[in-house]
Amino acid sequence: MTTEPTMNAALVPAFGDPSVITYTRVPRPVPGPGRVLVRVAATSYNPSDVGLRSGALRGILPVEPPFVLGTDVSGTVAATGPGVTAFAPGDRVVGRLDGGGAAAEYAVAAETELTAAPAAVPLAVAAALPVAGHTAWQALFEHAAVGPGDRVLVGGAGGGVGRFAVQLARHAGAHVIATASGRSAAAVRRLGAHEIVDYTRTPLAEAVGEPVDLALHLVPSTEAGTALAALVRPGGSLVSATGPVPVADPSVRAVHFVARNDTAQLAALVGLVDAGAVRVEAAARPLRELADVHRAGEAGEIAGKVVLTPVG
């Protein structure tokens, strides 16, 4: 009798609070045509995972339980399905799986969802890059046109997206002002912010002073977004990755967006990582602790990125 291969995975058997996340054995996926089986080095926690787990994002990502969490993935190609030409077993890869499934020992990805992993960071750490990196890149370069000399205000710079946004804006030649609490200030400064505003101690408008060309809104608070909008110069832009923000000045361009998967952009980010222009930093936890990570994320207790490594 042939036994179907299984693997450890973080399964959501029903929508609910973090307690529904179940670390259990599930069937190991098999790659079909144009798809790649990845032995997972790590996935990462993203705030959007809360919406997936709770069912709040059903209208955007129609995933029904039971499903395996995990959008970011890094790992090694274990096998390829028919028609795959870009990758071979043993290749180190990184990518974003919009259908989830990376919170496991193995995950299946479309060939088009993956690119070569950066060589400059450990493979598990690379899982911190796709979703947060895409969001920062698209905010700065698609929904704004950040360039040399621009004053850029990053609201929520201590988070995963914010830390990439600080680095990318600095690399583009902008003057970067970052809001960060005391626990994140040193990291944000190390990553290239020219000015740090501790919003828990100093009024934002007083600390920022002159108007900015672009404000990035990266925290789930309309009040915080409105405060950022008030600091944008006439004709400038406010870009929000969390929700729509009303602006009082009609000349200020306000954009709310949801980051999309773009492997070419991810490859460009990987190139910046390998060139030393962008750092990828993350705390690591075992995948079996994913429910605790969700609890910490919902309580606002996570700074930066957390990657989760499977345990056999």
Side-chain angles (χ1 to χ4, degrees):
M1 184 171 100
T2 302
T3 303
E4 184 180 45
T6 62
M7 64 180 183
N8 289 320
L11 184 73
V12 174
F15 292 127
D17 65 26
S19 67
V20 302
I21 299 173
T22 305
Y23 188 71
T24 188
R25 303 292 295 185
V26 301
R28 184 189 300 177
V30 176
R35 301 182 72 79
V36 175
L37 180 67
V38 178
R39 182 175 178 86
V40 176
T43 186
S44 89
Y45 170 80
N46 292 292
S48 58
D49 294 337
V50 172
L52 285 173
R53 185 209 72 225
S54 68
L57 291 181
R58 291 174 76 181
I60 300 172
L61 296 172
V63 178
E64 294 294 329
F67 60 87
V68 174
L69 284 163
T71 303
D72 289 319
V73 67
S74 65
T76 305
V77 174
T80 58
V84 172
T85 59
F87 302 103
D91 288 349
R92 290 161 41 100
V93 293
V94 64
R96 168 177 163 167
L97 312 185
D98 285 333
E105 291 182 282
Y106 290 86
V108 165
E111 179 181 23
T112 53
E113 291 178 313
L114 301 172
T115 192
V121 298
L123 188 55
V125 174
L129 184 60
V131 170
H134 274 131
T135 306
W137 182 286
Q138 291 167 25
L140 290 167
F141 305 127
E142 288 190 357
H143 301 290
V146 173
D150 286 345
R151 283 171 57 82
V152 175
L153 174 59
V154 180
V161 176
R163 295 188 188 202
F164 285 123
V166 165
Q167 296 181 79
L168 290 172
R170 171 92 184 220
H171 183 68
H175 180 87
V176 183
I177 306 162
T179 74
S181 64
R183 69 178 180 178
S184 301
V188 171
R189 187 177 297 281
R190 184 179 68 251
L191 294 174
H194 296 89
E195 301 178 44
I196 307 289
V197 177
D198 184 345
Y199 57 85
T200 66
R201 303 180 63 179
T202 308
L204 188 60
E206 176 184 324
V208 172
E210 297 178 19
V212 299
D213 300 289
L214 168 67
L216 296 187
H217 177 48
L218 305 175
V219 296
S221 163
T222 302
E223 182 181 0
T226 302
L228 293 178
L231 301 176
V232 177
R233 65 165 175 80
S237 299
L238 179 134
V239 177
S240 172
T242 60
V245 176
V247 296
D249 183 347
S251 77
V252 171
R253 179 173 170 270
V255 177
H256 167 234
F257 79 104
V258 176
R260 72 182 195 287
N261 206 342
D262 188 312
T263 335
Q265 289 178 358
L266 182 56
L269 283 162
V270 167
L272 290 175
V273 172
D274 281 339
V278 170
R279 298 184 189 180
V280 186
E281 300 176 345
R285 299 275 295 271
L287 182 58
R288 65 175 68 250
E289 296 179 7
L290 183 57
D292 289 337
V293 173
H294 273 237
R295 292 185 186 97
E298 290 185 85
E301 296 171 353
I302 291 179
K305 291 290 293 180
V306 175
V307 296
L308 297 116
T309 58
V311 178

